[in-house]
Amino acid sequence: GAGVTVTPLDLSIKRLALNDGDIALEDRAPARPVALGLNHLTVSVDDFSTLAKRPVHYAVRTALAQGGTLAANGAFDLDAKTADAKLAAEALPLALAQPYLADATAAQISAGTLGANLPVKVDWSKAPVNVRVSDGDLTLKSLKLASSSGSGDVALGDARIGVKQIDLAGRKAELSSVETTGLVVKATRLKDGRIDLAAWAQAPQTAQARADARAVDRAQRQAAARKSHSSTATHKRFWRIAADTHAFGFFVSSDSAVSQWRDASDSRPA
């Protein structure tokens, strides 16, 4: 009735420990299911309480069956609805993310690993949940990207990305630095004037959709060419590349960068 007072659950655990556990996960949401195995899982929780207004300390560490390790330690406060963590990842295979990128880009990750050291703070006291990352870094090793058609590819020996801050709720990210070594880029200007690497910014298309898109693009180019030719007999197309690293607030340095460019367009065949 109205006069009944519900007593909140009073549960206290001085220490909870899980050692050498194994968990098999499968995500069937992507078009290609993703299997993930957590091996040698170790979890520890100290001073847990559902009523006490104090932080609960925890530590988690595991090795992935697909390669790499992942660890996190920090504290969470159920009363304040906040948590913090220091995430450390080593040699996580980037190919695990490919099924989640299949509908967003035509690029395919064929090799590479990810490492990370990221301090994270989470606040779920109000909506939306606020997740912030600050003063961390990401490392990429032996990254290889290619298109499903086999045209164009990018390889990277090593990269270190300094993270100043990331605000997931605000969808904002600030990088403090980007350092790369061993960058190799292979690109081709196709017969219809398109750059093969530019297709990576688009979602993959079926063969029929690609053919239809090329036909429309070709007709538009021909119409533009006829219009241009009527006004001037000599018209040259120039490439213009502009980059302003200061606008992004990070310093870019590269070593041993290699680019391979091939022009197979009708106007200037290779």
Side-chain angles (χ1 to χ4, degrees), residues 7 61 180:
T7 303
R61 182 175 178 82
T180 66

Side-chain angles (χ1 to χ4, degrees), residues 164-214:
K164 186 176 181 180
Q165 69 171 0
I166 299 176
D167 181 359
L168 266 64
R171 296 187 177 183
K172 297 178 181 179
E174 293 185 43
L175 306 181
S176 57
S177 64
V178 176
E179 301 174 4
T180 66
T181 58
L183 175 63
V184 178
V185 179
K186 297 180 182 179
T188 301
R189 186 183 183 192
L190 305 175
K191 290 184 177 296
D192 57 6
R194 295 179 300 112
I195 309 301
D196 55 358
L197 291 183
W200 289 11
Q202 303 174 356
Q205 297 176 314
T206 62
Q208 183 59 48
R210 287 194 297 269
D212 294 342
R214 286 196 296 267

Side-chain angles (χ1 to χ4, degrees), residues 25-162:
L25 304 173
E26 184 178 30
D27 187 355
R28 297 182 180 179
R32 191 181 73 190
V34 178
L36 184 65
L38 305 181
N39 297 339
H40 308 295
L41 176 63
T42 300
V43 180
S44 65
V45 179
D46 294 307
D47 298 322
F48 175 84
S49 175
T50 57
L51 297 183
K53 297 181 180 182
R54 63 171 181 267
V56 179
H57 297 275
Y58 69 92
V60 180
R61 182 175 178 82
T62 187
L64 273 63
Q66 293 76 13
T69 62
L70 183 63
N73 65 83
F76 61 89
D77 190 326
L78 296 177
D79 182 65
K81 297 182 180 180
T82 59
D84 64 77
K86 292 183 178 179
L87 298 179
E90 294 183 9
L92 297 179
L94 288 170
L96 288 174
Q98 181 58 48
Y100 300 99
L101 303 175
D103 293 334
T105 176
Q108 293 188 345
I109 304 174
S110 58
T113 61
L114 170 69
N117 287 284
L118 299 173
V120 181
K121 291 187 177 181
V122 182
D123 183 350
W124 67 93
S125 60
K126 56 185 177 180
V129 176
N130 188 4
V131 180
R132 289 181 176 271
V133 179
S134 61
D135 297 327
D137 63 79
L138 302 170
T139 56
L140 300 174
K141 292 184 179 294
S142 304
L143 174 64
K144 291 185 179 181
L145 300 175
S147 66
S148 56
S149 62
S151 175
D153 60 75
V154 174
L156 181 63
D158 296 279
R160 182 187 179 279
I161 303 170

